[in-house]
Amino acid sequence: MVHIYPFKAVRPASGKAEEIATVPYDVVSAEEAREIIGKKPLSFLRISRSDALVPDKDPYSTEIYELSRKIFDEYRREGFFIQDETATLYVYRIHDGDRTYTGIACCADTREYESGEIRRHELTRYDKEEDRTRHIDTMNANTGPVVLLHGTHAEIKTILARSTESREPEMVVHAENGSIHEIFPITDEADLARLLEIFVSIPALYIADGHHRCKSAVNVVEKRSRDGHKVPEETHHFLSVIFAEDEVKVHGYSRLLTDLSPLDPDVFLKKVSDIAHVAPYNDGDRTQFTLTPKLGGKGDHVFHLYVKGKWYECVIPRNPKNNDIKALDVSILQEQILIPFLGIKDPRGDPRLQYLGGARPVRDLMTKVDSGEYAAAIAMQPIDVRTVFSIADTGGIMPPKSTWFEPKLLSGLLVHLLE
């Protein structure tokens, strides 16, 4: 069973949400963050990526983390942020194109991550863990939510719908990508109590986005618990937004290759053709089309390769002996193409292999290759969310960058204080 907890959110004051809320710290570089801050001087990136403000400083120096805390305290002192007087849960709703995503903003429990009720499917990198651990510890706050998933649950959906009907949201933000983000505090005591009760009956939650933020929250508890020190209960809680499995969308995660050495493009394509059925892929306007599989049977491994200005669909027949992880398209790509043909053995650390979120337009991949920045691009098909659950249930770890979940949440709308 799992537990969720109401909390007293620190959030933008009335009329300030549009000025403060912004993209997560880890989807922009320091230079990009600096550009956003130039356009939106109150952007939360001043807190989540304060290294962008002092480019001459080591981004991992103590001074940077202390600067984040100083700016956060200033925002609260100046009245840009307020804290709710009563602990509650919140509905976080996103309208994005023709889809609406509705989740619960709450706190989850670090102890349930450690005991396995909150399940991961990716490894974390120590450097990223260390960065967010120091940020959370210095801030004494969770500044970005972990996105968690649960199985479809009709009653939860009903309560969330009831909590938003005939009500105006407390905060509304129009993001630069066109999505609209809304926050509704849940005010009905009976609904609050019932949601807490329902989650106790749910066996597990699954991390969709925020593996490093989750593990860093655990690290802060461990750090503060040294020498037998007992931390406040609130310190065990970390900021989360929880969605049902049918409230998210999964994209593939595209690969970009800086070069094809020791091969040239023609030889590389020939080697791929030796193990896969390869066919040119054409679908009208080449800058607008969606890469939908046209070949292969159920369970076959499909990816799309862009090289020398052309798209190709590549299909590798399914091997029924492969288990969940070995049967993933990204695993097949790694084991049968990237390692033997290009010598890319470390998908986490090899600089020749870069990644681009699968929600990005196909033209972005083409532009990066056509410009000469990269030699080839590989677009992957999405993984079913139930496959993610199955792998996490068995303690399996998926290859890096196997999934790109939507929606992507904004930072700065809700902050959770650890004490």
Side-chain angles (χ1 to χ4, degrees):
M1 63 181 181
V2 297
H3 297 82
I4 63 170
Y5 302 92
F7 69 108
K8 298 177 181 179
V10 175
R11 56 190 178 89
S14 178
K16 293 294 182 182
E18 288 272 9
E19 297 179 66
I20 292 174
T22 189
V23 295
Y25 76 97
D26 55 353
V27 302
V28 290
S29 66
E31 183 178 351
E32 290 167 333
R34 196 155 47 247
E35 185 178 336
I36 293 171
I37 292 167
K39 296 175 182 176
K40 292 175 59 174
L42 288 182
S43 171
F44 195 72
L45 286 168
R46 296 185 71 225
I47 295 168
S48 62
R49 284 225 57 164
S50 58
D51 59 303
L53 302 174
V54 281
D56 57 324
K57 297 289 185 181
D58 177 358
Y60 303 112
S61 66
T62 299
E63 182 180 347
I64 295 298
Y65 300 103
E66 290 176 346
L67 177 59
S68 293
R69 175 62 183 266
K70 178 183 176 182
I71 296 171
F72 181 57
D73 290 345
E74 286 176 357
Y75 276 32
R76 296 183 69 188
R77 201 164 45 245
E78 294 293 327
F80 301 147
F81 272 125
I82 59 171
Q83 184 173 21
D84 288 338
E85 295 182 359
T86 303
T88 192
L89 307 175
Y90 303 81
V91 178
Y92 190 137
R93 188 169 71 185
I94 305 103
H95 305 285
D96 191 2
D98 59 355
R99 288 204 59 163
T100 297
Y101 307 92
T102 307
I104 303 169
C106 60
C107 282
D109 199 317
T110 58
R111 291 161 293 202
E112 291 176 355
Y113 174 88
E114 294 183 283
S115 60
E117 282 90 2
I118 295 175
R119 295 176 183 166
R120 64 177 184 166
H121 64 268
E122 287 185 5
L123 292 174
T124 53
R125 282 175 45 181
Y126 178 76
D127 57 340
K128 289 189 174 184
E129 267 187 49
E130 176 68 8
D131 169 52
R132 283 304 102 175
T133 298
R134 295 178 66 190
H135 181 82
I136 293 169
D137 191 34
T138 304
M139 290 286 298
N140 196 40
N142 305 125
T143 58
V146 176
V147 178
L148 300 172
L149 305 179
H150 63 79
T152 303
H153 197 292
E155 189 178 0
I156 293 176
K157 196 179 294 286
T158 298
I159 293 173
L160 298 189
R162 185 162 62 235
S163 299
T164 58
E165 64 187 3
S166 303
R167 289 180 62 195
E168 291 297 317
E170 196 80 12
M171 292 184 284
V172 181
V173 174
H174 296 77
E176 286 194 9
N177 67 357
S179 60
I180 302 171
H181 298 245
E182 301 171 330
I183 302 290
F184 301 80
I186 300 177
T187 56
D188 186 275
E189 292 295 330
D191 284 342
L192 281 170
R194 181 58 185 147
L195 284 170
L196 301 184
E197 184 179 37
I198 289 172
F199 274 89
V200 172
S201 69
I202 291 175
L205 297 173
Y206 301 85
I207 301 173
D209 195 6
H211 282 78
H212 290 92
R213 292 188 289 279
C214 189
K215 184 59 168 64
S216 296
V218 173
N219 292 347
V220 170
V221 173
E222 292 177 350
K223 179 179 179 181
R224 295 185 179 188
S225 300
R226 289 172 186 163
D227 302 321
H229 180 68
K230 183 175 176 60
V231 301
E233 176 65 20
E234 200 66 33
T235 307
H236 288 281
H237 302 168
F238 63 92
L239 181 63
S240 305
V241 178
I242 306 177
F243 294 91
E245 62 178 295
D246 61 346
E247 287 281 346
V248 297
K249 184 176 182 180
V250 188
H251 295 273
Y253 223 118
S254 301
R255 273 72 174 145
L256 287 157
L257 298 165
T258 60
D259 63 77
L260 299 175
S261 61
L263 311 177
D264 63 36
D266 291 328
V267 174
F268 177 68
L269 191 59
K270 172 63 169 60
K271 281 187 169 291
V272 174
S273 301
D274 289 341
I275 65 166
H277 176 58
V278 177
Y281 189 96
N282 296 301
D283 193 7
D285 183 348
R286 62 188 227 117
T287 65
Q288 300 294 330
F289 64 79
T290 301
L291 295 168
T292 304
K294 297 181 177 181
L295 306 173
K298 183 177 181 181
D300 286 345
H301 308 286
V302 180
F303 60 90
H304 293 87
L305 170 66
Y306 187 69
V307 64
K308 293 182 65 176
K310 294 181 180 179
W311 280 107
Y312 298 89
E313 181 163 302
C314 308
V315 181
I316 298 177
R318 178 179 70 95
N319 182 345
K321 295 181 180 180
N322 285 340
N323 62 21
D324 281 346
I325 295 176
K326 287 185 177 181
L328 296 174
D329 291 351
V330 290
S331 297
I332 297 297
L333 175 71
Q334 180 66 29
E335 295 299 321
Q336 297 193 29
I337 293 177
L338 298 185
I339 292 176
F341 298 164
L342 303 178
I344 296 176
K345 299 178 181 179
D346 179 10
R348 290 186 176 277
D350 195 312
R352 298 168 61 202
L353 178 62
Q354 301 296 318
Y355 300 92
L356 192 71
R360 296 277 290 271
V362 170
R363 64 177 176 271
D364 288 2
L365 292 171
M366 299 166 66
T367 297
K368 288 180 176 294
V369 175
D370 292 343
S371 69
E373 182 181 2
Y374 293 94
I378 301 172
M380 309 303 297
Q381 293 300 306
I383 296 170
D384 184 86
V385 70
R386 275 282 150 185
T387 299
V388 177
F389 285 10
S390 176
I391 289 172
D393 284 341
T394 59
I397 298 298
M398 297 168 68
K401 307 298 184 185
S402 293
T403 56
W404 174 279
F405 281 94
E406 287 192 324
K408 294 298 181 186
L409 308 183
L410 296 179
S411 291
L413 285 176
L414 300 168
V415 175
H416 166 248
L417 301 183
L418 301 189
E419 295 178 1

